[in-house]
Amino acid sequence: KNEVEQSPQNLTAQEGEFITINCSYSVGISALHWLQQHPGGGIVSLFMLSSGKKKHGRLIATINIQEKHSSLHITASHPRDSAVYICAVGSRNNDMRFGAGTRLTVKP
Amino acid sequence: DTGVSQDPRHKITKRGQNVTFRCDPISEHNRLYWYRQTLGQGPEFLTYFQNEAQLEKSRLLSDRFSAERPKGSFSTLEIQRTEQGDSAMYLCASSPPGQPGNTIYFGEGSWLTVV
C-alpha cells in the first residue's frame, strides 16, 4: 500500500462543476502539500497545510489530521484547471512522499 | 527569474553513457531535494541536502547514482552507465530554512531518455 493514496485517478468534469480530489496518507507528517502539474512537467505548489482549511481563489484545501485525510476542492471549474493534481506529505524526516496524482480534465 | 532552475531540460543518451543534471535552487534555500518521476506516476524521493550535507538517500538511488552539493548552493545528479529504466523526469526542489514541510519550490524538471 502506498503511503499516500489519491482518488480518483482520473476525473472529467464539465466547466462550472464543483470538483473534489481526496488524499489519504499513512505516515506521520509535518505538512501536506497540494501541487499542480501541467503537461511538460512544471510543478506549482498550491497549498501547504498542517491543519484546518485554506482558500485561494476558487481552490479550497482541507486537512483532518486525526483521520489522515485531505481534500482539494475546485469551485466553478474551468478548462484551464485541467492538470494533474498531486498530494504530497512532508515527513518529519524532511523528505516528501507523493501520491500518484489525479488527472483532471475540465471540458468547456 | 529567481525560481529553481534545472539544466539541461532534456537529454537523450545512449545506454551505458553517463549523464549529469544540474540544479540551481532559490538563493538562501538551504534544503534541496531530488525526485524522479515516470509517466503516470507521482514523483519519488531520491535524496535530500541540507546545505552541503546529504542527509538522506532513497533506496531508489543505486550505486550508479550520485548527487553532490559541494558548496551548499547548486547541486548535481550524475547517473553512470545509464539504463533504459533510468528514463524519467528528474525534478529538483528547494525550500527555505525553518520547520520541515516549509513551502517547497520545484524546478521544471530534466527529462532523460535513454535509448
Side-chain angles (χ1 to χ4, degrees):
Chain A
K1 191 177 190 302
N2 291 336
E3 293 168 312
V4 182
E5 295 276 357
Q6 284 186 239
S7 63
Q9 286 186 319
N10 294 284
L11 181 56
T12 301
Q14 288 298 129
E15 184 174 356
E17 285 184 358
F18 180 83
I19 287 161
T20 296
I21 300 170
N22 295 300
C23 175
S24 297
Y25 54 92
S26 59
V27 294
I29 69 167
S30 54
L32 183 142
H33 303 255
W34 281 103
L35 310 169
Q36 181 189 57
Q37 187 171 33
H38 281 283
I43 293 180
V44 174
S45 177
L46 299 174
F47 294 102
M48 184 185 69
L49 293 165
S50 54
S51 64
K53 177 180 173 178
K54 286 189 176 181
K55 184 176 189 294
H56 184 243
R58 296 179 294 105
L59 301 178
I60 303 166
T62 63
I63 188 169
N64 185 317
I65 297 293
Q66 286 73 32
E67 294 186 2
K68 296 188 174 181
H69 181 270
S70 176
S71 293
L72 176 70
H73 305 284
I74 304 175
T75 61
S77 59
H78 190 276
R80 64 174 176 266
D81 296 327
S82 298
V84 175
Y85 292 84
I86 301 172
C87 172
V89 296
S91 77
R92 294 185 178 92
N93 292 329
N94 293 307
D95 60 22
M96 289 181 71
R97 301 288 185 242
F98 294 79
T102 295
R103 183 174 299 278
L104 172 65
T105 303
V106 181
K107 294 185 175 180
Chain B
D1 182 38
T2 57
V4 178
S5 63
Q6 293 188 240
D7 181 71
R9 292 292 318 282
H10 298 90
K11 178 74 176 178
I12 299 173
T13 191
K14 290 184 178 178
R15 189 174 53 185
Q17 297 294 306
N18 300 344
V19 295
T20 299
F21 298 112
R22 175 179 169 127
C23 172
D24 286 88
I26 294 172
S27 60
E28 299 176 359
H29 280 195
N30 65 333
R31 295 191 177 99
L32 186 147
Y33 308 82
W34 283 101
Y35 302 94
R36 181 174 69 186
Q37 186 177 24
T38 53
L39 283 175
Q41 300 297 316
E44 297 171 295
F45 170 77
L46 291 179
T47 190
Y48 155 66
F49 289 86
Q50 184 160 309
N51 300 311
E52 66 276 9
Q54 188 173 21
L55 296 188
E56 192 165 349
K57 289 172 63 173
S58 162
R59 288 191 301 269
L60 293 174
L61 217 63
S62 75
D63 291 344
R64 297 184 296 106
F65 287 71
S66 61
E68 294 182 345
R69 195 183 182 197
K71 298 180 180 178
S73 56
F74 73 91
S75 175
T76 57
L77 176 69
E78 181 182 18
I79 308 173
Q80 295 182 324
R81 304 181 302 283
T82 51
E83 301 173 357
Q84 286 188 320
D86 298 330
S87 296
M89 181 170 65
Y90 292 85
L91 279 163
C92 176
S94 69
S95 67
Q99 290 299 316
N102 267 352
T103 299
I104 190 165
Y105 299 81
F106 287 84
E108 293 288 311
S110 291
W111 289 94
L112 173 65
T113 301
V114 181
V115 296

